[in-house]
């Protein structure tokens, strides 16, 4: 019998990790946002904060890494290797779950409601744009689509923003599809509220 334990990925979200505050300070030094204020500045303020975090990881050269296998993999039990917050930061790599919990940890720290969306073969982030249920998907695996070092300094912010918009579009398209699957009670699909 199928037993879905995907909700356990939520345990990797760690908004209290000691490395988050220094990351937030580094982001503030870019001056992309004046402060981390959660929902106080409305949906545009939320989008700006999410992009500022995105841009930090692109500046740090984060890449998608499909490492998911664990040493204990069995034919009857599907398992996946997940990096802890500090492991992802040290190696500047993340698979779909790693990137999702990394973003979820930081967004939760700054007061933005986050969700993990799980499919049979993928995980991505959803965040609440207005604090009232306006859900937006973010495909965190797109973070490594470009290497900002390949661009001149003056172009890097625009390139990063373009990739961010593509990641939002991809996340939102996937979210709409998954909401249909959830309504149809299709097994293997779930949205996990980190607040809950």
């Amino acid at each position: 019998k199928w037993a879905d334990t995907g909700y356990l990925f939520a345990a990797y979200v760690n908004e209290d990790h000691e490395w988050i505050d220094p990351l937030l300070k580094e982001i503030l030094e870019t001056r992309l946002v004046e402060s981390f204020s959660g929902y106080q500045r409305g949906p545009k303020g939320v989008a700006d904060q999410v992009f500022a975090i995105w841009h930090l990881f692109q500046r740090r050269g984060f890449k998608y890494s499909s490492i998911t296998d664990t040493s204990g993999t069995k034919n009857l039990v599907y398992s996946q290797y997940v990096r802890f917050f500090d492991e992802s930061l040290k190696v500047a790599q993340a698979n779909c779950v790693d990137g999702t919990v990394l973003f979820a940890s930081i967004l939760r720290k700054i007061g933005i409601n986050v969700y993990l969306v799980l499919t049979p073969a993928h995980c991505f982030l959803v965040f609440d744009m207005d604090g009232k249920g306006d859900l937006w998907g973010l495909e965190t695996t797109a973070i490594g689509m470009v290497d900002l070092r390949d661009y001149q300094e003056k172009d890097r912010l625009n390139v990063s923003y373009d990739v961010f918009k593509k990641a939002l579009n991809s996340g939102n398209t996937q979210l709409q599809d998954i909401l249909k699957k959830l309504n149809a009670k299709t097994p293997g699909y779930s949205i996990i509220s980190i607040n809950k």
Side-chain angles (χ1 to χ4, degrees):
K1 183 177 177 185
W2 170 256
D4 185 1
T5 58
Y7 63 89
L8 294 173
F9 286 130
Y12 287 88
V13 177
N14 182 3
E15 69 271 20
D16 295 322
H17 196 284
E18 63 183 330
W19 290 11
I20 293 180
D21 282 330
L23 286 175
L24 295 176
K25 180 177 184 290
E26 185 178 338
I27 293 167
L28 289 175
E29 289 169 357
T30 67
R31 303 184 75 172
L32 290 175
V33 290
E34 294 176 16
S35 64
F36 291 104
S37 54
Y39 294 108
Q40 293 177 15
R41 293 201 164 114
K44 173 148 179 17
V46 171
D48 290 345
Q49 291 170 86
V50 176
F51 171 66
I53 296 163
W54 176 274
H55 185 61
L56 170 78
F57 291 124
Q58 281 208 304
R59 279 187 25 234
R60 285 179 160 224
F62 257 71
K63 298 291 181 204
Y64 170 70
S65 169
S66 65
I67 297 172
T68 59
D69 289 341
T70 64
S71 59
T73 301
K74 305 277 187 214
N75 289 337
L76 297 175
V77 177
Y78 174 78
S79 63
Q80 178 172 334
Y81 177 76
V82 181
R83 292 177 181 95
F84 289 106
F85 189 94
D86 49 337
E87 291 176 301
S88 291
L89 286 176
K90 283 178 189 175
V91 298
Q93 295 179 52
N95 63 37
C96 63
V97 178
D98 303 337
T100 299
V101 299
L102 185 69
F103 269 85
S105 298
I106 297 170
L107 291 175
R108 185 157 163 78
K109 176 73 170 190
I110 63 175
I112 296 173
N113 300 329
V114 291
Y115 305 80
L116 308 182
V117 177
L118 301 173
T119 75
H122 189 46
C123 176
F124 67 96
L125 178 77
V126 168
F127 62 96
D128 188 341
M129 187 67 85
D130 63 2
K132 299 174 186 172
D134 182 15
L135 301 182
W136 284 62
L138 181 66
E139 180 53 72
T140 61
T141 63
I143 198 97
M145 282 178 62
V146 297
D147 188 333
L148 293 183
R149 296 172 296 186
D150 294 339
Y151 297 87
Q152 293 183 4
E153 183 67 36
K154 65 182 178 65
D155 298 325
R156 290 178 182 168
L157 188 61
N158 289 333
V159 169
S160 182
Y161 190 70
D162 286 344
V163 175
F164 176 67
K165 288 191 301 188
K166 289 176 184 172
L168 284 174
N169 287 336
S170 176
N172 285 326
T173 299
Q174 291 177 79
L175 177 59
Q176 295 312 311
D177 182 53
I178 282 151
L179 289 174
K180 290 175 189 171
K181 291 188 184 320
L182 288 172
N183 285 336
K185 300 194 183 320
T186 307
Y189 293 84
S190 59
I191 297 179
I192 300 162
S193 167
I194 298 302
N195 284 355
K196 289 182 180 176

